[in-house]
Amino acid sequence: MDMEYRNLGRTGVKVSPLCLGCMMFGNRTGPEDSYAIIDRALEAGINFLDTANVYSRGESEKTTGEALKRNGQRDKVILATKVHGSMGEGPNDRGNSRRHIIEQCEASLRRLQTDWIDLYQIHRPQSDIPIDETLRALDDLVRAGKVRYLGTSTFAAWQCVESLWASQRFNLNRFVCEQPPYNLLDRRIERELLPMARTYGYGIIPWSPLAGGLLTGKYKRNEDAPENSRFSRRQDSPRVTPAMFDGVEGLQPLADDKSCTMAQLALAWCLRQPGVTAPIIGPRTMSQLEDNLGALQVTVNDQDCETIDRLNGPGQAASPFYQADFGPHQFPVE
Ligand SMILES: NC(=O)c1ccc[n+]([C@@H]2O[C@H](COP(=O)([O-])OP(=O)(O)OC[C@H]3O[C@@H](n4cnc5c(N)ncnc54)[C@H](OP(=O)(O)O)[C@@H]3O)[C@@H](O)[C@H]2O)c1
C-alpha cells in the first residue's frame, strides 16, 4: 500500500497518516493478537505507534515493546508514549513533576525494551505545576538522548502557546505536537486548537477518531450495544445520547455512496482536515485493523465535507468527549 508520510508538525520526522494506538494491547487484546496486529500495521506502512505508561499500568508498553523486539522493527518505528497518570498510590506517583517524569521515562524505556522514546508526551495538563518545571525535565531527557521529541495531550490552545513561550524564554526544547480528542461527533478543536497548531507548526494527532467506536455505526438507537463492544461495558456512558445517534445515522448514506464503511468515512474525513497530522486508530481485533486501514483508500472531497458539515457542524460537539483541566495555573517563573 502506498503511504504518504507526513512531517510531524514542524519537525523533519516523517510519520504515516494513521498512527496505531496500542491502548487495547495487553488489555482486551491478548499478547499474540497484539503482536499480529502490530506486525500487520507495520507491513501496511504504518510507522507510528502510540502507547502510554498508564494503559493497563504498563502492560500496553510491555506488549508493544515485546512485539517490536520479536519483529526486529524498533528502528523503523516512531514510538510514542506518555506520562502523567497515576502509576502508584503515593503523591509522587503521578503528575508532571520533574521527579515523576524522569522516573517514569526510565520505567517506560525498560517496559518498551528500548534505549529511546521518539515522542514523549505529557498526557494531561496539571494546574499546580509551572510548565517550566515540566519542560526543563523533558529537555534534560532529550539532551540525555533518551527522548527525541516532546508532545502534549489534551492541552488547551492557550496552554500550548504558553509552553512555546516558556521554551523560547528558557531555551528549552519545545513541544512539537498535541494529541486531542477529535472526531465527527466532537469537533471542538476546530475553534482554537487547530488554528493554533497551523499557526505555530504543531502536529495534531487526534485520539478516538471513531469516538471509541460510536462512528462505526454498530450501536443502534433503542437497541442493546453489541456484545463485547466498548460501550456494552459502559452502559451508562453520557456519550450514548439521541444527539449522538442523530450525528451518526446521517453518515451511513454517504458511506454507502462511497462503498466504504462508516468507520472508514470517519477516519478518511479526520485525516484530511487541515492541521491534522495523523489520527490514532485503536483496533481491538485484526479485522478492525483491516477495516481501519481501508480508510487510506477512501477519498473525501469538498462536497462530502459540506454534507458532513450539515450533519455535524464545524466546531460543534454532538457527543462531547472530554473536558480537561483548562483552568488557570501556576505561571512560569524564572
Ligand atoms: N491521549 C489520550 O488521552 C487518549 C485517550 C484515548 C485514546 N488515546 C489513544 O488513541 C488511540 C485510539 O483511541 P480509541 O481506541 O478510543 O479510538 P477509536 O478509533 O475512536 O475507537 C476504537 C474502538 O472502536 C471499535 N472499532 C474500531 N474499528 C471498528 C470496526 N471496524 N468495527 C467495529 N468496531 C470497531 C473498537 O472497540 P470495541 O470493539 O471494543 O467496541 C475499537 O477499540 C488509543 O489506542 C490510544 O493510543 C489517547
Side-chain angles (χ1 to χ4, degrees):
M1 189 182 300
D2 282 342
M3 196 67 82
E4 159 242 345
Y5 294 92
R6 298 172 168 184
N7 288 58
L8 180 61
R10 65 193 281 283
T11 77
V13 77
K14 300 277 184 190
V15 294
S16 46
L18 291 178
C19 174
L20 178 66
C22 301
M23 191 169 70
M24 292 295 107
F25 307 156
N27 180 3
R28 295 177 61 212
T29 311
E32 295 301 329
D33 286 345
S34 302
Y35 305 151
I37 290 172
I38 291 173
D39 288 354
R40 171 69 187 116
L42 299 188
E43 180 197 60
I46 287 184
N47 75 339
F48 194 13
L49 265 52
D50 178 73
T51 180
N53 61 344
V54 281
Y55 295 164
S56 308
R57 280 259 170 113
E59 289 306 313
S60 167
E61 286 188 327
K62 282 187 197 163
T63 308
T64 306
E66 182 62 23
L68 294 176
K69 188 178 165 208
R70 288 181 183 215
N71 65 25
Q73 302 284 304
R74 169 66 189 95
D75 59 346
K76 305 274 193 307
V77 164
I78 304 304
L79 184 55
T81 192
K82 316 185 193 78
V83 60
H84 168 85
S86 180
M87 291 299 283
E89 307 319 315
N92 290 307
D93 295 336
R94 70 198 66 180
N96 303 343
S97 69
R98 176 180 190 80
R99 151 94 193 222
H100 185 62
I101 288 171
I102 291 175
E103 178 203 90
Q104 276 305 301
C105 180
E106 299 290 354
S108 287
L109 289 169
R110 281 194 294 276
R111 286 187 292 257
L112 290 163
Q113 301 187 59
T114 185
D115 296 333
W116 82 99
I117 292 163
D118 292 291
L119 174 63
Y120 202 37
Q121 302 159 105
I122 299 297
H123 211 150
R124 291 287 182 273
Q126 186 180 344
S127 55
D128 64 351
I129 294 182
I131 195 69
D132 57 315
E133 170 170 344
T134 301
L135 278 167
R136 214 175 277 283
L138 292 170
D139 184 70
D140 285 346
L141 292 172
V142 173
R143 288 174 202 261
K146 297 180 189 213
V147 167
R148 298 287 182 265
Y149 297 102
L150 306 174
T152 55
S153 177
T154 324
F155 273 44
W158 70 266
Q159 291 169 327
C160 294
V161 175
E162 182 191 66
S163 73
L164 291 185
W165 170 76
S167 286
Q168 198 170 43
R169 181 163 180 193
F170 304 124
N171 198 24
L172 303 171
N173 275 283
R174 58 165 274 182
F175 292 125
V176 305
C177 65
E178 153 64 22
Q179 183 176 147
Y182 184 45
N183 55 63
L184 271 173
L185 294 171
D186 187 346
R187 299 180 60 175
R188 288 175 298 171
I189 70 164
E190 294 170 11
R191 298 180 198 168
E192 293 204 18
L193 197 76
L194 278 176
M196 180 288 298
R198 295 173 73 192
T199 304
Y200 293 100
Y202 252 79
I204 294 286
I205 53 174
W207 55 265
S208 291
L210 298 178
L214 300 175
L215 283 162
T216 62
K218 69 181 175 180
Y219 300 92
K220 307 284 183 208
R221 217 185 279 262
N222 305 320
E223 286 182 21
D224 287 343
E227 209 174 317
N228 206 25
S229 60
R230 193 178 294 184
F231 289 93
S232 69
R233 304 153 69 94
R234 303 186 204 157
Q235 292 284 8
D236 56 347
S237 171
R239 292 176 197 154
V240 183
T241 59
M244 182 281 288
F245 284 113
D246 292 344
V248 168
E249 286 164 355
L251 296 168
Q252 193 60 58
L254 188 56
D256 292 344
D257 277 354
K258 294 182 162 299
S259 304
C260 70
T261 65
M262 190 190 297
Q264 290 168 344
L265 174 66
L267 290 172
W269 172 86
C270 189
L271 67 85
R272 100 185 276 282
Q273 295 312 300
V276 167
T277 311
I280 310 173
I281 56 173
R284 180 175 60 82
T285 64
M286 184 66 87
S287 65
Q288 291 179 358
L289 171 68
E290 295 293 353
D291 170 75
N292 293 180
L293 286 172
L296 294 168
Q297 311 303 325
V298 175
T299 309
V300 174
N301 60 30
D302 289 349
Q303 202 185 336
D304 300 328
C305 285
E306 283 169 24
T307 308
I308 285 171
D309 286 353
R310 282 195 291 275
L311 295 165
N312 298 294
Q316 302 303 306
S319 178
F321 233 67
Y322 185 77
Q323 203 64 51
D325 177 4
F326 292 156
H329 59 200
Q330 289 287 314
F331 201 64
V333 288
E334 273 174 284

